[in-house]
Amino acid sequence: MSRLKRLNHWVINNRSRIWILIIIAVLMVGCIFVSKLPRYVDMYKYILNAEVSLDNDDLKGALLSFEKAYELVPTESLEQEIERLNQLIKSKSNFLRGEQAEESQNYESAYYYYNEVDSIDEERYQQAQEKLPQIAEKVVESIYEQVEKYYEEHLYLLVIGRLESALKYNIRVDETLEKIDQYKDFLYKYYIDKAQSEAVTYFDDPLFYQLFITSIHNALKYAVTDEQKEYVLQLKDELIETNIERYLILAQESHKIGDEIVAKKYIEQILTLDATNKEAFCLLEEISLN
């Protein structure tokens, strides 16, 4: 007897058992469905509540309803909706903060928050995009005013940084670049003059090198052309050489009158500027022999 015939024979002989198993399975499925039915009903109620909240722009209320629906019946679509709502809530918060900052005339903060509004938040995103150029114009104008104030108060190191920060707003870029070049040229000349003045005024002060080299570094920072940079480096070498010659003369004069302590002080300052200076070492050796 073939397998198919044996199977048919078994089915015929066990028809009653098979029907009992089918009925039991149907009852079990029905029980499961009936037991879960209230959960699905409640889930759809929460979804409807969420949609009403969305119509009223109550994003947090909608989120709460979707989270409760997800607790009852976790689905991928509900999970995605919860994630989207969290983005919308953050976007709305940024937009409202932008409005508050704008009302307070804190335009840099307003620009930041409007720029953080998410594109999925379509209506607010569109409003924010329309506001950004207007806010940027006010920010840049405010930066120009700050720069003039810093200049008047001799806070030169803040000037270029603030002007460079204005470039990120993509408003009046050419004007800003022109201002940066103007102030860089001014600061370059200012620190060149300052370095020369310090080299003369403070040459007899142990802090001379620190003061002088700071001004040289600042001049180099604001040098734009290769010629300017080369000039700064040459000036540094010239001023150091000039002061070494001055210290050497003072050390020799102090040694002649027997003031070895002062002579050694000047020798130390020479070696700070030039650690291999032969004349300073010779004079130091001569002092030691005496």
Side-chain angles (χ1 to χ4, degrees), residues 42-270:
D42 289 340
M43 178 195 72
Y44 284 114
K45 285 181 180 178
Y46 283 125
I47 291 174
L48 289 174
N49 289 338
E51 290 176 353
V52 172
S53 296
L54 284 173
D55 289 339
N56 294 320
D57 199 29
D58 180 10
L59 300 180
K60 291 184 178 180
L63 176 63
L64 181 62
S65 294
F66 275 121
E67 286 175 339
K68 288 183 176 179
Y70 184 81
E71 288 174 5
L72 292 171
V73 184
T75 65
E76 186 178 349
S77 61
L78 284 173
E79 186 176 358
Q80 291 174 350
E81 190 61 32
I82 288 170
E83 183 179 346
R84 190 181 76 90
L85 273 169
N86 277 316
Q87 288 179 268
L88 285 171
I89 288 170
K90 184 178 179 181
S91 178
K92 181 180 179 180
S93 174
N94 285 328
F95 184 83
L96 294 176
R97 289 183 179 185
E99 286 188 322
Q100 291 172 356
E102 184 181 3
E103 289 175 5
S104 303
Q105 297 184 350
N106 187 353
Y107 297 120
E108 289 188 65
S109 293
Y111 186 93
Y112 170 80
Y113 287 120
Y114 282 139
N115 204 41
E116 291 295 304
V117 177
D118 202 307
S119 59
I120 67 167
D121 190 4
E122 295 180 4
E123 186 176 344
R124 276 181 283 264
Y125 178 77
Q126 183 61 37
Q127 293 178 39
Q129 290 300 304
E130 291 172 359
K131 283 175 173 285
L132 283 173
Q134 305 165 20
I135 299 295
E137 181 73 35
K138 293 177 180 178
V139 171
V140 171
E141 186 59 41
S142 174
I143 288 174
Y144 288 170
E145 292 173 0
Q146 289 175 7
V147 165
E148 290 179 6
K149 183 178 179 182
Y150 291 151
Y151 175 77
E152 291 171 359
E153 295 176 354
H154 308 291
L155 300 173
Y156 302 131
L157 295 176
L158 298 175
V159 169
I160 303 298
R162 286 303 288 150
L163 284 172
E164 288 176 341
S165 72
L167 293 173
K168 68 182 179 181
Y169 297 101
N170 295 316
I171 295 289
R172 299 165 71 175
V173 173
D174 291 340
E175 183 180 355
T176 301
L177 289 172
E178 186 178 346
K179 285 180 179 291
I180 289 173
D181 288 341
Q182 288 173 351
Y183 278 107
K184 276 188 175 181
D185 186 60
F186 166 77
L187 292 173
Y188 167 77
K189 293 174 182 176
Y190 169 79
Y191 283 111
I192 288 290
D193 292 342
K194 192 169 187 287
Q196 291 173 321
S197 173
E198 287 166 345
V200 173
T201 306
Y202 300 107
F203 82 95
D204 200 21
D205 192 310
L207 293 177
F208 150 73
Y209 185 74
Q210 182 180 347
L211 292 168
F212 154 77
I213 209 67
T214 299
S215 294
I216 286 291
H217 284 165
N218 285 329
L220 195 59
K221 182 167 73 171
Y222 297 117
V224 176
T225 65
D226 291 337
E227 290 78 8
Q228 286 179 328
K229 293 175 183 177
E230 183 64 27
Y231 176 76
V232 173
L233 295 175
Q234 288 177 357
L235 178 64
K236 174 185 175 183
D237 292 339
E238 289 172 6
L239 291 177
I240 288 176
E241 186 177 347
T242 299
N243 274 42
I244 287 175
E245 292 173 359
R246 288 173 179 165
Y247 290 145
L248 189 59
I249 292 170
L250 291 170
Q252 290 169 342
E253 290 177 350
S254 298
H255 174 52
K256 285 179 182 178
I257 63 175
D259 194 344
E260 310 300 359
I261 294 176
V262 173
K264 286 182 179 180
K265 183 192 77 170
Y266 287 122
I267 291 172
E268 286 176 5
Q269 288 181 260
I270 292 170

Side-chain angles (χ1 to χ4, degrees), residues 1-10:
M1 185 181 293
S2 67
R3 290 182 179 179
L4 182 58
K5 288 182 178 180
R6 285 200 299 270
L7 179 61
N8 288 335
H9 181 72
W10 184 86

